[in-house]
Amino acid sequence: LRIDYSDNANGEILTEGEATNYCTYSKNLANDDNVSSGGDGSGTITRNYSTAPTGNLEASRFEASISNTSSSSNYALFGFDESGAGVVPSKSISLWMKSNTGSSQYITLYSSRLTTGDFDFSDSGARGIYLEVTTEWKRFTLSGEYTGGASDFSAILAIRGGGFYAGSDNVDISFFQGQLEDALSPSSDITTNGSVQTRAADTGITTGDISHLINSEEGVLEAVISTNDTNSSIKGISINESNGGATLNLVSIYFTSSNITARVYEGGVNVYSQTYPFVSGTYYKVAIHYNNGTFKTFVDNVQIGSTTSSGSGFASGQLKYLDYKRGAFTNWFRGRASYVKIYDSANDY
């Protein structure tokens, strides 16, 4: 499992599906050296100007200005392109940025190939968002549905007039780690240096029987989790009997396309299921209590459901493994977990 510190100084367990960064020089976008300008706009880029989130001197500087903000003909922009991507309906852009001036600055991120998404503006065939770039490093993202052929998708960072105008006539910002992906939600950073890179899917499964740590008859499975993956596949965490095998006996928490679900199987029979709607990227503390056939679900410390099943509960030692998947189901958990806890008594929580 990977430990990620970008959202939490204490680190989080991060598991994601396979992902590819089609931007071939991610750290400083060195394959896109030129700033394009028009009208009264001007701009420059300085490589290895500032300290990146990695702690190394490898972030680039973008300085740009325009005088007349009423026309989109006045601009200074910088673009980075995909290399070798397929023709797919979904695209996402991500880029780390911070202000170099000691105060917030306002800039635009857009693409001419996105058609449907959560945009702030649409102008001259381009769709994008207005960004407030503060003095702290932040990862900005833009996603949407895509029309176009292979290898012609690009991201544009700009100070520009007209409908593109975000609020600053002059900008001085640092940027780092550009990413272009064939997915509606960007994955975590994938570093490239001259070629497209693919990160393999993460998996997480205990390597042995931990039944001595799990009270099968009663207990609580609790996790603080979030996901940006809103496809319909089951993405879960479970304590179970079969170590990824047949779904016979398990206690599970998982995401689907729109809900968090708490579910219990006894002897291959679904004896308990409770759902709760989630917002992509939001963290939830989810706990499922099990106690000799009685089940309760809590989300952010509020009980949302309970039931007494027709089953008899689990036998001593029956729950043996902790998996970052839901038993026999093929989809691994995709998201971030601040922690996963197993309590050995339903009364401890």
Side-chain angles (χ1 to χ4, degrees):
L1 295 178
R2 288 185 291 141
I3 306 299
D4 179 72
Y5 296 91
S6 59
D7 289 341
N8 187 332
N10 295 318
E12 297 172 309
I13 299 168
L14 174 61
T15 55
E16 299 176 292
E18 181 180 285
T20 300
N21 186 1
Y22 291 99
C23 176
T24 53
Y25 286 89
S26 64
K27 288 187 176 181
N28 61 11
L29 309 181
N31 57 322
D32 296 287
D33 282 319
N34 296 318
V35 172
S36 175
S37 60
D40 61 17
S42 63
T44 58
I45 285 181
T46 305
R47 303 293 174 189
N48 301 321
Y49 171 79
S50 57
T51 302
T54 58
N56 299 321
L57 187 68
E58 53 187 350
S60 298
R61 183 187 196 184
F62 179 41
E63 299 172 276
S65 66
I66 57 174
S67 298
N68 183 348
T69 63
S70 62
S71 173
S72 61
S73 297
N74 301 311
Y75 62 86
L77 58 84
F78 171 72
F80 54 104
D81 304 324
E82 276 191 339
S83 174
V87 182
V88 297
S90 302
K91 298 285 186 180
S92 65
I93 301 163
S94 59
L95 184 67
W96 288 86
M97 287 186 282
K98 68 180 289 289
S99 171
N100 294 326
T101 66
S103 60
S104 293
Q105 299 175 78
Y106 301 88
I107 198 165
T108 303
L109 180 65
Y110 67 90
S111 174
S112 61
R113 295 287 187 173
L114 295 177
T115 58
T116 304
D118 188 12
F119 307 127
D120 292 328
F121 71 90
S122 175
D123 191 300
S124 305
R127 293 171 175 84
I129 53 177
Y130 304 127
L131 307 179
E132 179 183 3
V133 182
T134 71
T135 56
E136 300 294 328
W137 279 109
K138 179 181 177 179
R139 192 187 193 203
F140 295 92
T141 64
L142 173 64
S143 302
E145 298 299 323
Y146 166 75
T147 59
S151 304
D152 64 356
F153 181 70
S154 62
I156 307 295
L157 186 66
I159 179 171
R160 190 167 187 173
F164 296 84
Y165 184 58
S168 293
D169 303 349
N170 298 272
V171 295
D172 182 354
I173 64 170
S174 290
F175 65 85
F176 176 75
Q177 186 59 34
Q179 204 143 303
L180 297 167
E181 299 179 64
D182 287 353
L184 268 182
S185 297
S187 66
S188 58
D189 291 347
I190 303 172
T191 299
T192 62
N193 187 25
S195 63
V196 170
Q197 294 294 318
T198 297
R199 183 185 54 237
D202 296 304
T203 60
I205 191 166
T206 52
T207 57
D209 185 330
I210 59 168
S211 57
H212 60 290
L213 300 175
I214 303 173
N215 183 349
S216 295
E217 295 168 272
E218 65 164 302
V220 180
L221 173 64
E222 179 189 79
V224 174
I225 50 178
S226 74
T227 188
N228 290 317
D229 187 342
T230 56
N231 67 46
S232 60
S233 300
I234 293 169
K235 303 170 286 292
I237 297 170
S238 69
I239 48 177
N240 60 73
E241 179 184 24
S242 55
N243 201 24
T247 305
L248 297 176
N249 295 289
L250 64 83
V251 177
S252 61
I253 299 168
Y254 62 90
F255 289 107
T256 60
S257 60
S258 57
N259 289 316
I260 301 169
T261 300
R263 180 163 288 185
V264 177
Y265 280 83
E266 291 182 9
V269 177
N270 175 16
V271 296
Y272 176 69
S273 182
Q274 183 69 48
T275 62
Y276 185 87
F278 77 90
V279 175
S280 177
T282 299
Y283 286 82
Y284 298 89
K285 182 168 77 170
V286 186
I288 179 168
H289 294 221
Y290 59 97
N291 187 357
N292 293 305
T294 299
F295 309 102
K296 299 177 183 179
T297 301
F298 292 77
V299 175
D300 294 333
N301 299 317
V302 177
Q303 184 173 332
I304 62 167
S306 65
T307 190
T308 299
S309 77
S310 57
S312 57
F314 303 114
S316 177
Q318 199 160 35
L319 301 177
K320 302 177 181 179
Y321 303 98
L322 170 65
D323 290 353
Y324 270 69
K325 63 186 294 190
R326 201 187 109 199
F329 292 90
T330 58
N331 297 95
W332 296 93
F333 175 75
R334 302 299 178 218
R336 299 176 184 273
S338 293
Y339 65 75
V340 177
K341 294 181 180 180
I342 304 171
Y343 295 83
D344 62 5
S345 170
N347 296 320
D348 286 345
Y349 182 77

